[in-house]
Amino acid sequence: MKRRILFSGYDLEQKIHRGILFYAKSILRATKELGYTNYILTSAQSSMPAKIMANLDEPINTPKVIFLLKYLLSLPAKKSYSQSELDPQFALTPRLNYLADVAGFINKPEVYRMIGLRSRVPLSCYYLDLPNFDLVLCTSPLSVRIPSRTRLVQVLPDIIPLIRTDHTPDDQPQVFYRRIKDMLTYSDLVLSISEFSRQELLHIFPDAAKKVITLCPPVPVIPAEFERAHQPGVEATILKKYGLMAQAYFLFVGVLEYRKNIKRLLDAYLRVRSQVKIPLVLAGALGYGQETFKSLLDQDGIKFLDYIPTLDKLVLLKNATAFVFPSLYEGFGLPPLEAMQMGCPVLTSSVSALPEACGDAALYVDPLDCGQIAEGLQTLAENINLRQTLVEKGYGMVRHHSFASYTRRLAPILDALS
């Protein structure tokens, strides 16, 4: 009989959907296909967990002083949770499609705020006293411990706050270090999303080698949206919506932040704008470090779309001249693989985990060299044979990182925890 898994809902509750959220959706789908029953731990009241996931209602957000007093008063008491099943009548919008793989919710208001407090003060990990679950799975490191009868698996996306400074100040290194240390202490197993991230971790925590294994995420795909993105009428409508022509623009998709190397990408494009004669389109929310490049978004040839729906993203990827992603650092690199899935040639960085994700299916550049990025843009704009070669190789990398392959690799890992 397959077991019950409780997933952390921390990443699923975030307003901005980053790569680790797509990983969370993939592993929910995989465990459902493997016969497991999935629940999500939410910070919602029992009456509105699905709304929290949709960000239609905000979680309770008690003022700090009152929250701390409530927290201290609750320490001697047994932790209380409520359970709710997923309402079959709740509309599964594209943002919430992953709830089809979820049986219900375990709810505790402000639970992730309480867990976060434990990683900021010299106290032991937050104890999740959760009966009737065989496995707790956190899709990013949390300072938690669980009953000994339950297995704890946590996912390591990267260790950026420990080794880089180009991240939001909210990612405090000392707090993140505590979360990582607690993860390694209390987890039965840690899944690193790339061998690169695993080795980065082991440089700091070499004794964790036996507990940390690599399991690369699959290319995220929603079959219904993938099929719709290939319908000529849908393609034409979305291209017209953004004023774009097929095979006549470069595309970047992701949060526009300092670490994604947006300033150098914009500078490189402006160097060759008159030669390539096609626009550079950037789709994604503005993030940390935007002040270093925001003024360039108004330059001729540059088109900033802000956040776009998934279907629009797939259509734009399918019709782009090339996907350009010269990021400074990635724990893995799903965006280039999404582009390859849609038959789009890729330019990306030769650093961090990107070569591990993309293999020989990308045109690589030094992300610190504007001249090399510019040359790569011009090469892809002018060399149709190179673009076609990259597309064919890209399909091979997508098969290597397919959902079916991921599920096959995940099954024995979970079986071994029984």
Side-chain angles (χ1 to χ4, degrees), residues 178-218:
R178 173 69 184 273
R179 289 167 59 193
I180 293 292
K181 190 172 180 182
D182 288 342
M183 174 187 74
L184 295 174
T185 299
Y186 296 105
S187 299
D188 295 284
L189 183 67
V190 174
L191 300 177
S192 173
I193 67 169
S194 68
E195 183 59 23
F196 172 81
S197 288
R198 180 176 182 272
Q199 292 302 325
E200 292 278 273
L201 177 74
L202 295 182
H203 283 316
I204 302 174
F205 300 98
D207 293 340
K210 292 183 179 179
K211 185 173 282 191
V212 185
I213 66 173
T214 298
L215 181 64
C216 297

mmCIF file of all heavy atoms in Angstrom, residues 178-218:
data_model
loop_
_atom_site.group_PDB
_atom_site.id
_atom_site.type_symbol
_atom_site.label_atom_id
_atom_site.label_comp_id
_atom_site.label_asym_id
_atom_site.label_seq_id
_atom_site.Cartn_x
_atom_site.Cartn_y
_atom_site.Cartn_z
ATOM 1 N N ARG A 178 21.725 28.506 8.865
ATOM 2 C CA ARG A 178 21.001 27.739 9.888
ATOM 3 C C ARG A 178 20.015 26.766 9.240
ATOM 4 O O ARG A 178 19.896 25.615 9.655
ATOM 5 C CB ARG A 178 20.276 28.706 10.821
ATOM 6 C CG ARG A 178 19.353 28.033 11.835
ATOM 7 C CD ARG A 178 20.143 27.258 12.887
ATOM 8 N NE ARG A 178 19.252 26.548 13.770
ATOM 9 C CZ ARG A 178 18.702 27.082 14.871
ATOM 10 N NH1 ARG A 178 18.955 28.324 15.207
ATOM 11 N NH2 ARG A 178 17.908 26.358 15.631
ATOM 12 N N ARG A 179 19.302 27.238 8.216
ATOM 13 C CA ARG A 179 18.354 26.365 7.532
ATOM 14 C C ARG A 179 19.058 25.176 6.887
ATOM 15 O O ARG A 179 18.574 24.034 6.975
ATOM 16 C CB ARG A 179 17.588 27.165 6.476
ATOM 17 C CG ARG A 179 16.588 28.150 7.038
ATOM 18 C CD ARG A 179 16.107 29.116 5.977
ATOM 19 N NE ARG A 179 15.483 28.421 4.851
ATOM 20 C CZ ARG A 179 15.210 29.020 3.702
ATOM 21 N NH1 ARG A 179 15.510 30.291 3.515
ATOM 22 N NH2 ARG A 179 14.631 28.338 2.739
ATOM 23 N N ILE A 180 20.189 25.433 6.248
ATOM 24 C CA ILE A 180 20.935 24.343 5.603
ATOM 25 C C ILE A 180 21.468 23.364 6.643
ATOM 26 O O ILE A 180 21.372 22.134 6.475
ATOM 27 C CB ILE A 180 22.092 24.910 4.760
ATOM 28 C CG1 ILE A 180 21.551 25.698 3.568
ATOM 29 C CG2 ILE A 180 23.017 23.791 4.283
ATOM 30 C CD1 ILE A 180 20.868 24.857 2.529
ATOM 31 N N LYS A 181 22.003 23.896 7.731
ATOM 32 C CA LYS A 181 22.548 23.029 8.775
ATOM 33 C C LYS A 181 21.454 22.175 9.390
ATOM 34 O O LYS A 181 21.632 20.966 9.632
ATOM 35 C CB LYS A 181 23.231 23.877 9.846
ATOM 36 C CG LYS A 181 24.037 23.057 10.845
ATOM 37 C CD LYS A 181 24.845 23.960 11.764
ATOM 38 C CE LYS A 181 25.657 23.122 12.752
ATOM 39 N NZ LYS A 181 26.425 24.001 13.684
ATOM 40 N N ASP A 182 20.291 22.776 9.644
ATOM 41 C CA ASP A 182 19.163 22.014 10.185
ATOM 42 C C ASP A 182 18.675 20.969 9.185
ATOM 43 O O ASP A 182 18.319 19.844 9.556
ATOM 44 C CB ASP A 182 18.018 22.962 10.553
ATOM 45 C CG ASP A 182 18.313 23.802 11.788
ATOM 46 O OD1 ASP A 182 19.230 23.422 12.548
ATOM 47 O OD2 ASP A 182 17.640 24.828 11.983
ATOM 48 N N MET A 183 18.632 21.337 7.925
ATOM 49 C CA MET A 183 18.226 20.391 6.885
ATOM 50 C C MET A 183 19.129 19.158 6.905
ATOM 51 O O MET A 183 18.653 18.018 6.867
ATOM 52 C CB MET A 183 18.287 21.061 5.511
ATOM 53 C CG MET A 183 18.013 20.132 4.339
ATOM 54 S SD MET A 183 18.297 20.920 2.730
ATOM 55 C CE MET A 183 20.102 20.942 2.704
ATOM 56 N N LEU A 184 20.436 19.382 6.980
ATOM 57 C CA LEU A 184 21.377 18.262 6.961
ATOM 58 C C LEU A 184 21.323 17.447 8.249
ATOM 59 O O LEU A 184 21.575 16.242 8.245
ATOM 60 C CB LEU A 184 22.796 18.792 6.725
ATOM 61 C CG LEU A 184 23.037 19.437 5.360
ATOM 62 C CD1 LEU A 184 24.429 20.061 5.302
ATOM 63 C CD2 LEU A 184 22.859 18.419 4.239
ATOM 64 N N THR A 185 20.980 18.091 9.351
ATOM 65 C CA THR A 185 20.938 17.397 10.643
ATOM 66 C C THR A 185 19.702 16.520 10.770
ATOM 67 O O THR A 185 19.779 15.363 11.213
ATOM 68 C CB THR A 185 20.967 18.417 11.791
ATOM 69 O OG1 THR A 185 22.169 19.170 11.725
ATOM 70 C CG2 THR A 185 20.879 17.705 13.144
ATOM 71 N N TYR A 186 18.542 17.039 10.371
ATOM 72 C CA TYR A 186 17.281 16.366 10.678
ATOM 73 C C TYR A 186 16.658 15.614 9.507
ATOM 74 O O TYR A 186 15.727 14.843 9.709
ATOM 75 C CB TYR A 186 16.278 17.381 11.230
ATOM 76 C CG TYR A 186 16.713 17.976 12.555
ATOM 77 C CD1 TYR A 186 17.217 19.277 12.623
ATOM 78 C CD2 TYR A 186 16.651 17.232 13.726
ATOM 79 C CE1 TYR A 186 17.637 19.821 13.831
ATOM 80 C CE2 TYR A 186 17.072 17.764 14.935
ATOM 81 C CZ TYR A 186 17.562 19.060 14.984
ATOM 82 O OH TYR A 186 17.982 19.585 16.176
ATOM 83 N N SER A 187 17.136 15.822 8.292
ATOM 84 C CA SER A 187 16.559 15.116 7.147
ATOM 85 C C SER A 187 17.111 13.708 7.041
ATOM 86 O O SER A 187 18.281 13.458 7.351
ATOM 87 C CB SER A 187 16.859 15.875 5.850
ATOM 88 O OG SER A 187 16.295 17.160 5.868
ATOM 89 N N ASP A 188 16.280 12.806 6.559
ATOM 90 C CA ASP A 188 16.756 11.461 6.232
ATOM 91 C C ASP A 188 17.455 11.442 4.884
ATOM 92 O O ASP A 188 18.330 10.618 4.638
ATOM 93 C CB ASP A 188 15.573 10.489 6.207
ATOM 94 C CG ASP A 188 14.935 10.334 7.572
ATOM 95 O OD1 ASP A 188 15.527 9.631 8.412
ATOM 96 O OD2 ASP A 188 13.871 10.930 7.807
ATOM 97 N N LEU A 189 17.068 12.377 4.013
ATOM 98 C CA LEU A 189 17.646 12.439 2.676
ATOM 99 C C LEU A 189 17.487 13.854 2.146
ATOM 100 O O LEU A 189 16.479 14.523 2.399
ATOM 101 C CB LEU A 189 16.923 11.457 1.738
ATOM 102 C CG LEU A 189 17.448 11.336 0.316
ATOM 103 C CD1 LEU A 189 18.840 10.706 0.306
ATOM 104 C CD2 LEU A 189 16.495 10.506 -0.536
ATOM 105 N N VAL A 190 18.492 14.313 1.388
ATOM 106 C CA VAL A 190 18.440 15.613 0.727
ATOM 107 C C VAL A 190 18.589 15.386 -0.773
ATOM 108 O O VAL A 190 19.519 14.699 -1.219
ATOM 109 C CB VAL A 190 19.549 16.554 1.230
ATOM 110 C CG1 VAL A 190 19.577 17.851 0.416
ATOM 111 C CG2 VAL A 190 19.362 16.857 2.707
ATOM 112 N N LEU A 191 17.661 15.938 -1.543
ATOM 113 C CA LEU A 191 17.694 15.833 -3.004
ATOM 114 C C LEU A 191 18.235 17.134 -3.583
ATOM 115 O O LEU A 191 17.580 18.175 -3.497
ATOM 116 C CB LEU A 191 16.292 15.571 -3.560
ATOM 117 C CG LEU A 191 15.584 14.303 -3.085
ATOM 118 C CD1 LEU A 191 14.177 14.242 -3.677
ATOM 119 C CD2 LEU A 191 16.381 13.066 -3.474
ATOM 120 N N SER A 192 19.429 17.097 -4.147
ATOM 121 C CA SER A 192 19.984 18.265 -4.818
ATOM 122 C C SER A 192 19.481 18.296 -6.257
ATOM 123 O O SER A 192 19.455 17.261 -6.936
ATOM 124 C CB SER A 192 21.515 18.208 -4.808
ATOM 125 O OG SER A 192 22.056 19.249 -5.598
ATOM 126 N N ILE A 193 19.110 19.488 -6.747
ATOM 127 C CA ILE A 193 18.550 19.561 -8.092
ATOM 128 C C ILE A 193 19.621 19.500 -9.183
ATOM 129 O O ILE A 193 19.283 19.422 -10.364
ATOM 130 C CB ILE A 193 17.680 20.812 -8.282
ATOM 131 C CG1 ILE A 193 18.523 22.088 -8.240
ATOM 132 C CG2 ILE A 193 16.566 20.856 -7.252
ATOM 133 C CD1 ILE A 193 17.759 23.328 -8.676
ATOM 134 N N SER A 194 20.889 19.506 -8.806
ATOM 135 C CA SER A 194 21.970 19.325 -9.782
ATOM 136 C C SER A 194 23.202 18.825 -9.062
ATOM 137 O O SER A 194 23.366 19.021 -7.851
ATOM 138 C CB SER A 194 22.294 20.642 -10.511
ATOM 139 O OG SER A 194 22.871 21.571 -9.614
ATOM 140 N N GLU A 195 24.079 18.180 -9.805
ATOM 141 C CA GLU A 195 25.353 17.757 -9.222
ATOM 142 C C GLU A 195 26.192 18.986 -8.886
ATOM 143 O O GLU A 195 26.955 18.975 -7.916
ATOM 144 C CB GLU A 195 26.098 16.837 -10.184
ATOM 145 C CG GLU A 195 27.402 16.280 -9.627
ATOM 146 C CD GLU A 195 27.221 15.466 -8.342
ATOM 147 O OE1 GLU A 195 26.107 14.951 -8.092
ATOM 148 O OE2 GLU A 195 28.203 15.364 -7.573
ATOM 149 N N PHE A 196 26.048 20.037 -9.666
ATOM 150 C CA PHE A 196 26.758 21.280 -9.374
ATOM 151 C C PHE A 196 26.382 21.799 -7.988
ATOM 152 O O PHE A 196 27.258 22.119 -7.174
ATOM 153 C CB PHE A 196 26.429 22.331 -10.434
ATOM 154 C CG PHE A 196 26.958 23.696 -10.107
ATOM 155 C CD1 PHE A 196 28.279 24.018 -10.352
ATOM 156 C CD2 PHE A 196 26.134 24.660 -9.528
ATOM 157 C CE1 PHE A 196 28.783 25.275 -10.032
ATOM 158 C CE2 PHE A 196 26.620 25.919 -9.202
ATOM 159 C CZ PHE A 196 27.949 26.228 -9.460
ATOM 160 N N SER A 197 25.077 21.885 -7.691
ATOM 161 C CA SER A 197 24.648 22.377 -6.374
ATOM 162 C C SER A 197 25.096 21.441 -5.261
ATOM 163 O O SER A 197 25.451 21.890 -4.168
ATOM 164 C CB SER A 197 23.123 22.535 -6.348
ATOM 165 O OG SER A 197 22.712 23.635 -7.119
ATOM 166 N N ARG A 198 25.083 20.143 -5.549
ATOM 167 C CA ARG A 198 25.535 19.170 -4.546
ATOM 168 C C ARG A 198 27.009 19.412 -4.194
ATOM 169 O O ARG A 198 27.380 19.437 -3.015
ATOM 170 C CB ARG A 198 25.348 17.745 -5.057
ATOM 171 C CG ARG A 198 25.789 16.657 -4.088
ATOM 172 C CD ARG A 198 25.489 15.272 -4.629
ATOM 173 N NE ARG A 198 25.873 14.242 -3.683
ATOM 174 C CZ ARG A 198 27.093 13.692 -3.626
ATOM 175 N NH1 ARG A 198 28.043 14.091 -4.472
ATOM 176 N NH2 ARG A 198 27.369 12.764 -2.716
ATOM 177 N N GLN A 199 27.834 19.606 -5.203
ATOM 178 C CA GLN A 199 29.257 19.827 -4.942
ATOM 179 C C GLN A 199 29.498 21.160 -4.252
ATOM 180 O O GLN A 199 30.386 21.259 -3.391
ATOM 181 C CB GLN A 199 30.041 19.755 -6.257
ATOM 182 C CG GLN A 199 30.079 18.371 -6.890
ATOM 183 C CD GLN A 199 30.683 17.317 -5.966
ATOM 184 O OE1 GLN A 199 31.610 17.595 -5.197
ATOM 185 N NE2 GLN A 199 30.144 16.105 -6.022
ATOM 186 N N GLU A 200 28.724 22.189 -4.609
ATOM 187 C CA GLU A 200 28.834 23.475 -3.917
ATOM 188 C C GLU A 200 28.538 23.309 -2.428
ATOM 189 O O GLU A 200 29.223 23.869 -1.573
ATOM 190 C CB GLU A 200 27.858 24.489 -4.534
ATOM 191 C CG GLU A 200 28.196 24.916 -5.933
ATOM 192 C CD GLU A 200 29.250 26.002 -5.968
ATOM 193 O OE1 GLU A 200 28.884 27.177 -5.888
ATOM 194 O OE2 GLU A 200 30.448 25.654 -6.069
ATOM 195 N N LEU A 201 27.507 22.534 -2.117
ATOM 196 C CA LEU A 201 27.150 22.275 -0.715
ATOM 197 C C LEU A 201 28.257 21.513 0.001
ATOM 198 O O LEU A 201 28.623 21.842 1.139
ATOM 199 C CB LEU A 201 25.845 21.492 -0.650
ATOM 200 C CG LEU A 201 25.373 21.085 0.749
ATOM 201 C CD1 LEU A 201 24.827 22.292 1.492
ATOM 202 C CD2 LEU A 201 24.336 19.988 0.692
ATOM 203 N N LEU A 202 28.808 20.499 -0.655
ATOM 204 C CA LEU A 202 29.808 19.646 -0.003
ATOM 205 C C LEU A 202 31.131 20.363 0.220
ATOM 206 O O LEU A 202 31.923 19.938 1.065
ATOM 207 C CB LEU A 202 30.024 18.369 -0.814
ATOM 208 C CG LEU A 202 28.802 17.439 -0.906
ATOM 209 C CD1 LEU A 202 29.133 16.188 -1.697
ATOM 210 C CD2 LEU A 202 28.284 17.077 0.481
ATOM 211 N N HIS A 203 31.369 21.451 -0.496
ATOM 212 C CA HIS A 203 32.564 22.256 -0.205
ATOM 213 C C HIS A 203 32.478 22.841 1.203
ATOM 214 O O HIS A 203 33.499 23.044 1.858
ATOM 215 C CB HIS A 203 32.698 23.390 -1.226
ATOM 216 C CG HIS A 203 33.219 22.954 -2.556
ATOM 217 N ND1 HIS A 203 34.279 22.098 -2.707
ATOM 218 C CD2 HIS A 203 32.812 23.266 -3.817
ATOM 219 C CE1 HIS A 203 34.512 21.895 -3.993
ATOM 220 N NE2 HIS A 203 33.629 22.576 -4.688
ATOM 221 N N ILE A 204 31.265 23.117 1.653
ATOM 222 C CA ILE A 204 31.056 23.720 2.979
ATOM 223 C C ILE A 204 30.725 22.659 4.020
ATOM 224 O O ILE A 204 31.156 22.754 5.175
ATOM 225 C CB ILE A 204 29.925 24.762 2.903
ATOM 226 C CG1 ILE A 204 30.264 25.839 1.867
ATOM 227 C CG2 ILE A 204 29.677 25.398 4.270
ATOM 228 C CD1 ILE A 204 29.155 26.835 1.621
ATOM 229 N N PHE A 205 29.981 21.621 3.618
ATOM 230 C CA PHE A 205 29.572 20.550 4.542
ATOM 231 C C PHE A 205 30.018 19.193 3.974
ATOM 232 O O PHE A 205 29.190 18.391 3.528
ATOM 233 C CB PHE A 205 28.047 20.552 4.720
ATOM 234 C CG PHE A 205 27.491 21.828 5.288
ATOM 235 C CD1 PHE A 205 26.952 22.795 4.448
ATOM 236 C CD2 PHE A 205 27.498 22.061 6.655
ATOM 237 C CE1 PHE A 205 26.419 23.969 4.959
ATOM 238 C CE2 PHE A 205 26.966 23.234 7.181
ATOM 239 C CZ PHE A 205 26.436 24.196 6.329
ATOM 240 N N PRO A 206 31.309 18.906 3.975
ATOM 241 C CA PRO A 206 31.796 17.670 3.341
ATOM 242 C C PRO A 206 31.276 16.392 3.988
ATOM 243 O O PRO A 206 31.177 15.356 3.321
ATOM 244 C CB PRO A 206 33.320 17.776 3.475
ATOM 245 C CG PRO A 206 33.545 18.749 4.597
ATOM 246 C CD PRO A 206 32.417 19.708 4.524
ATOM 247 N N ASP A 207 30.906 16.453 5.266
ATOM 248 C CA ASP A 207 30.434 15.244 5.956
ATOM 249 C C ASP A 207 29.027 14.824 5.525
ATOM 250 O O ASP A 207 28.551 13.762 5.927
ATOM 251 C CB ASP A 207 30.437 15.468 7.482
ATOM 252 C CG ASP A 207 31.848 15.628 8.032
ATOM 253 O OD1 ASP A 207 32.800 15.205 7.351
ATOM 254 O OD2 ASP A 207 31.987 16.198 9.132
ATOM 255 N N ALA A 208 28.377 15.648 4.696
ATOM 256 C CA ALA A 208 26.998 15.349 4.288
ATOM 257 C C ALA A 208 26.915 14.517 3.015
ATOM 258 O O ALA A 208 25.822 14.261 2.519
ATOM 259 C CB ALA A 208 26.230 16.650 4.088
ATOM 260 N N ALA A 209 28.044 14.070 2.514
ATOM 261 C CA ALA A 209 28.071 13.419 1.195
ATOM 262 C C ALA A 209 27.107 12.242 1.081
ATOM 263 O O ALA A 209 26.445 12.060 0.056
ATOM 264 C CB ALA A 209 29.499 12.974 0.870
ATOM 265 N N LYS A 210 26.993 11.426 2.122
ATOM 266 C CA LYS A 210 26.160 10.228 2.040
ATOM 267 C C LYS A 210 24.660 10.557 2.113
ATOM 268 O O LYS A 210 23.833 9.740 1.699
ATOM 269 C CB LYS A 210 26.525 9.256 3.161
ATOM 270 C CG LYS A 210 27.912 8.646 3.001
ATOM 271 C CD LYS A 210 28.199 7.641 4.106
ATOM 272 C CE LYS A 210 29.579 7.007 3.924
ATOM 273 N NZ LYS A 210 29.885 6.034 5.008
ATOM 274 N N LYS A 211 24.333 11.723 2.637
ATOM 275 C CA LYS A 211 22.921 12.077 2.810
ATOM 276 C C LYS A 211 22.364 12.843 1.614
ATOM 277 O O LYS A 211 21.144 12.919 1.444
ATOM 278 C CB LYS A 211 22.763 12.909 4.085
ATOM 279 C CG LYS A 211 21.322 13.245 4.428
ATOM 280 C CD LYS A 211 21.202 13.927 5.779
ATOM 281 C CE LYS A 211 21.315 12.959 6.930
ATOM 282 N NZ LYS A 211 20.952 13.569 8.231
ATOM 283 N N VAL A 212 23.218 13.393 0.773
ATOM 284 C CA VAL A 212 22.783 14.258 -0.320
ATOM 285 C C VAL A 212 22.975 13.542 -1.652
ATOM 286 O O VAL A 212 24.086 13.128 -1.989
ATOM 287 C CB VAL A 212 23.558 15.589 -0.329
ATOM 288 C CG1 VAL A 212 23.004 16.526 -1.405
ATOM 289 C CG2 VAL A 212 23.509 16.256 1.034
ATOM 290 N N ILE A 213 21.902 13.390 -2.406
ATOM 291 C CA ILE A 213 21.986 12.783 -3.730
ATOM 292 C C ILE A 213 21.430 13.753 -4.762
ATOM 293 O O ILE A 213 20.674 14.664 -4.433
ATOM 294 C CB ILE A 213 21.233 11.438 -3.813
ATOM 295 C CG1 ILE A 213 19.725 11.643 -3.632
ATOM 296 C CG2 ILE A 213 21.766 10.449 -2.786
ATOM 297 C CD1 ILE A 213 18.913 10.395 -3.867
ATOM 298 N N THR A 214 21.811 13.555 -6.011
ATOM 299 C CA THR A 214 21.377 14.435 -7.097
ATOM 300 C C THR A 214 20.181 13.834 -7.828
ATOM 301 O O THR A 214 20.217 12.669 -8.226
ATOM 302 C CB THR A 214 22.521 14.674 -8.090
ATOM 303 O OG1 THR A 214 23.600 15.334 -7.418
ATOM 304 C CG2 THR A 214 22.054 15.537 -9.262
ATOM 305 N N LEU A 215 19.153 14.641 -7.983
ATOM 306 C CA LEU A 215 17.993 14.264 -8.790
ATOM 307 C C LEU A 215 17.556 15.512 -9.545
ATOM 308 O O LEU A 215 16.868 16.371 -9.010
ATOM 309 C CB LEU A 215 16.851 13.729 -7.924
ATOM 310 C CG LEU A 215 15.599 13.279 -8.684
ATOM 311 C CD1 LEU A 215 15.920 12.080 -9.587
ATOM 312 C CD2 LEU A 215 14.470 12.935 -7.731
ATOM 313 N N CYS A 216 17.982 15.609 -10.795
ATOM 314 C CA CYS A 216 17.662 16.792 -11.599
ATOM 315 C C CYS A 216 16.163 16.863 -11.867
ATOM 316 O O CYS A 216 15.523 15.837 -12.096
ATOM 317 C CB CYS A 216 18.420 16.754 -12.926
ATOM 318 S SG CYS A 216 20.219 16.819 -12.741
ATOM 319 N N PRO A 217 15.607 18.055 -11.859
ATOM 320 C CA PRO A 217 14.162 18.194 -12.098
ATOM 321 C C PRO A 217 13.807 17.947 -13.555
ATOM 322 O O PRO A 217 14.643 18.106 -14.445
ATOM 323 C CB PRO A 217 13.879 19.646 -11.706
ATOM 324 C CG PRO A 217 15.183 20.349 -11.896
ATOM 325 C CD PRO A 217 16.254 19.351 -11.575
ATOM 326 N N PRO A 218 12.568 17.587 -13.808
ATOM 327 C CA PRO A 218 12.128 17.408 -15.194
ATOM 328 C C PRO A 218 11.739 18.744 -15.823
ATOM 329 O O PRO A 218 11.490 19.721 -15.120
ATOM 330 C CB PRO A 218 10.894 16.515 -15.042
ATOM 331 C CG PRO A 218 10.313 16.935 -13.731
ATOM 332 C CD PRO A 218 11.502 17.264 -12.846
#
